[in-house]
Amino acid sequence: MTKVVVTGLGAVVPHGDDIDNVYERVIRGENECGRITRFDPTGYACQIGSEVRYSVEAPSQVGPYSVHNHALKFTAGAADRALRYAGLEAATGDAMDRRSIVLSTGVGPANIDFLGPIALRVHGLDSDPYKSDLEAFYGQAPEQAEAQGLDEFHLDTAAPLCAVQLGAAHVYNTASACASGSHAVADAAAMIARGESDVVLAGGVCTPVTRVLVPGFAMLQALSTRNDDPAHASRPFDSGRDGFVMGEGAAMLVLESEDHAKARGATILAEVAGWGYSCDSYRLTDPHPEGVGMALCMTRAMECAGVGPEAIDHVNAHGTSTPYNDAAETLAIKKALGERAYKVPVSSNKSMFGHLIHAAGSLEGCLAVKTILGGVIPPTINYETPDPDCDLDYVPNDGREAQVDTVLKNSFGFGGMNVSVVYRRYTG
Amino acid sequence: MSASTANKTERVVITGVGVASPFGLGVGPLFDGMVAGETRVEALGSPRGALAPGYGAVVSLSARDIRGLPNSRDMRPGTMTRYTFLSTLALGDAMQDGDCPFDDGDGALRRGLYVASYTNSDRFDKYVRFAHHVIDEDATGNSFINDSQVPEAIRKFSGFEFLKLMNNMPAAHGGIQGRCQGPCNTYLGTPSGGAQAIGRALSTIQDGLADTMYAGGVGSSVHDQMMMVRATRGLASSSDATPEAAGRPFDTAASGIVPGEGGAMLVLERESTARARGARVRAELAGYGEWFLPPSDRDGVSPSPMGTVQSVRRALAMAGVEAADIDMVAAHGESRSDLDALEASALAEVLGPRAAEVPVVALAAHVGSVEAAVGPMGAAVALQAMETGVVPGALNRENPLPDYKGPTSAAPVETAVRTALVTLTTREGVSAALVLRTLD
């Protein structure tokens, strides 16, 4: 099987747009969860988010695609940085056939601002909005700016946009909820391993910090409501955890076949040694209580990599900070790693930047690679009170120096979709 | 993937087909309606009739229709969007057609599901009402979103609704319905997504990650948001057209996209798995190819037909067949002249002189634009043609585009179909192709 290697990393995330610096900040345990600023969340059940609070440098136009909203800026910015990291230019001609995109783009900005003025034209302010006349509404054609807002519900140009940046002839746009970012990496690795592509740009983008989705997911009781202390809201594996923090951003990895990377003299950062998929086939809302599907994908990823539990030096956990997930993941790690589970440092990067949903797995994948290179395992911050159901070594609060050659990265999605990826030190 | 289980040489076969279309449940009603030259495009009622073009093809199946399908006890129609509902119907129909097991044993570990959908959002009306509730005016009469109104307005949604609307829900429901503990994923975006899902499922079986994959797509463009987007961007068909004549693939009088909806799924299996359980093998999924050639501008189309040509050549190469072997084409034919001209040019290039004789079916004339379901539904029609020796005619193609060189008769054609080509050419620039072949 063709060896799959990582040659580029790129991110536009709450901690910054330079992935090396993001890693440095993360291993110092710096938090980016705070009170939401994209809108005034006063009165919301959840008022906490992890936002990109700096001006993002990204091209305003990529081929035929206008980079007109922050989701597309994150996408174009992260892709641009990943390609520069890898030292890749856009391919042309026949070379495009050997390049692919796998991008996860589940949630667009879902910006409802543009709907309000149309509703206002039709009904004014006084009519009961829940008896509004949809036929009259539909009879009003949106004006130009409003029409653009319609597109913002979807991110159907994000993956093609990346394809133009990479010069790729193959584009896949996928979604498996919170597992999506790792799903994209796994699919990309499989495409290279089977000889279908030489270079794949893989990752995800997500912009869920909106005035619709934050209160919506709070109604699902999925989000933390520790509004008076947002810096300590994301606390995976801690007994006081009460939900996750919505995060936004984009993160991507450049994967290549070893031969292709060597031939062009690229710096090889790490190897994607294995990947495993599973579906709980259980419930839409909850993970399997015994972590069956989660354990299955970890086992499959290790089998794919040709390693056993003894080879795993670190687990980069899904670790959302929800009561159900963290307990089920702990159980699943024990099932998959056996006694080794108690000796392996397990940490959740989400403790510092919340849950970037479709971009979570790829951002945490970037950090797994950096952990192999940097020799410091990121901590799980806000870990104060142990939970009897979560009894592993979660690298509490401080980064830890360690020789890490192999990282098992977990990503688990709503609906029971699970993916694990094994990243390994590249030794030639 | 483990090298010991990967087997790229063993055939992947199709052992079941499921369809939910405006003609009803199953590929039979759809195929029979197409052979009879019927269309299900008709005027829409209120309120969607107020959206251009005012007509479309709607699936009239209800939650009751799920009840007779395999493993229906685990399915909860009340927890589904329109997209998930249509996907569930198609998967259930495919499982029934393929007499597929849905046990929790070792078989479940080796089953997976890929489904494609442009979106999973079907409650635009709720967003409209939400926006109306939170809109306010300042002292100068300028409108703004009043955030203080949001906590009250959001209560008009249920929490579960946000889970329902997640894009991966068709696959999540399908994973439960089909008892799939292998790879499950949702492909988003263009109408080629359904064919891409099938193509990736083929790879997944060949790579040894699964023995059985359910794969297909779902779409609903009779959706308020989709209709509004398309009307605003000038992509919808003309309101002046009569509904039954509106879907005109490859015809000079085509005026744009006709709203439609449906779902279609295939059961793909490693041949040895299918034989071991005594499954009825309908055909081989012999080839897959895709290619991206970006459009010249946001609402334009690719500058040349080479994207589709490349996708077809790759699918033929994988199948090891020549263009001369193709007996029929199930084309995209979206009923939009610029896009159809590209696809027609590609078919003319690939088929050469045979373009004049190879029948080309296009769903849009019968069921409108079914988005990501169009490839899988085209494959389902092709499989039916293989079994019956009849290919539906070219409905509403009286005045073909100059680039279109194929047959134009609306009458069905009796012919042996051993090799069928499915092609997708999309506004987004992603083309895809499948090759299906009968087994000797």
Side-chain angles (χ1 to χ4, degrees), chain A residues 381-396:
Chain A
I381 68 166
N382 300 328
Y383 186 84
E384 292 168 347
T385 310
D387 175 349
D389 291 333
C390 301
D391 55 351
L392 301 177
D393 170 9
Y394 299 109
V395 194

Side-chain angles (χ1 to χ4, degrees), chain B residues 146-386:
Chain B
N146 186 340
D147 282 318
S148 69
Q149 297 291 326
V150 170
E152 185 188 337
I154 201 72
R155 291 199 193 100
K156 301 299 178 183
F157 290 90
S158 73
F160 200 79
E161 219 145 4
F162 290 91
L163 187 72
K164 279 169 68 174
L165 292 169
M166 290 180 73
N167 277 328
N168 69 321
M169 281 300 120
H173 280 265
I176 295 170
Q177 182 183 11
R179 285 284 180 268
C180 303
Q181 294 176 357
C184 289
N185 206 354
T186 305
Y187 290 81
L188 301 175
T190 77
S192 59
Q196 287 187 298
I198 291 170
R200 297 326 306 180
L202 173 63
S203 301
T204 298
I205 294 174
Q206 289 177 331
D207 285 349
L209 294 169
D211 294 331
T212 303
M213 290 294 294
Y214 300 116
V218 63
S220 177
S221 57
V222 202
H223 173 293
D224 39 13
Q225 185 186 354
M226 293 301 296
M227 291 174 76
M228 194 179 274
V229 167
R230 285 173 174 169
T232 302
R233 285 166 53 180
L235 301 174
S237 59
S238 165
S239 302
D240 297 335
T242 57
E244 61 273 17
R248 312 190 66 78
F250 305 111
D251 190 84
T252 53
S255 61
I257 298 170
V258 176
E261 64 177 0
M265 300 288 289
L266 304 181
V267 182
L268 307 178
E269 293 188 72
R270 186 189 299 277
E271 184 176 12
S272 56
T273 304
R275 300 287 184 204
R277 73 176 183 92
R280 170 183 165 225
V281 175
R282 300 184 70 140
E284 177 190 7
L285 174 59
Y288 164 69
E290 47 78 38
W291 194 273
F292 171 65
L293 185 61
S296 47
D297 61 66
R298 177 73 174 92
D299 290 329
V301 296
S302 300
S304 90
M306 289 315 292
T308 303
V309 170
Q310 295 280 24
S311 69
V312 172
R313 285 182 176 154
R314 270 153 185 75
L316 294 176
M318 181 189 281
V321 301
E322 305 287 334
D325 300 321
I326 297 169
D327 300 311
M328 72 167 282
V329 177
H332 184 192
E334 199 174 43
S335 189
R336 208 188 130 191
S337 54
D338 53 357
L339 193 66
D340 290 1
L342 275 186
E343 189 166 29
S345 297
L347 292 176
E349 170 139 357
V350 169
L351 295 172
R354 292 191 65 241
E357 64 195 56
V358 176
V360 178
V361 299
L363 286 157
H366 306 273
V367 295
S369 168
V370 292
E371 297 183 331
V374 63
M377 208 177 279
V381 170
L383 289 166
Q384 206 71 355
M386 286 174 164

Side-chain angles (χ1 to χ4, degrees), chain A residues 1 4 182 185-186 189-190 271-277 297-307 406-409 419-424, chain B residues 1:
Chain A
M1 191 165 78
V4 182
S182 287
V185 172
E271 181 188 348
V272 179
W275 48 94
Y277 312 89
C297 75
M298 285 186 250
T299 301
R300 285 172 170 168
M302 289 189 288
E303 283 176 1
C304 176
V307 300
T406 306
V407 180
L408 179 63
K409 166 75 209 121
V419 181
S420 292
V421 178
V422 174
Y423 295 92
R424 184 160 59 193
Chain B
M1 171 184 6

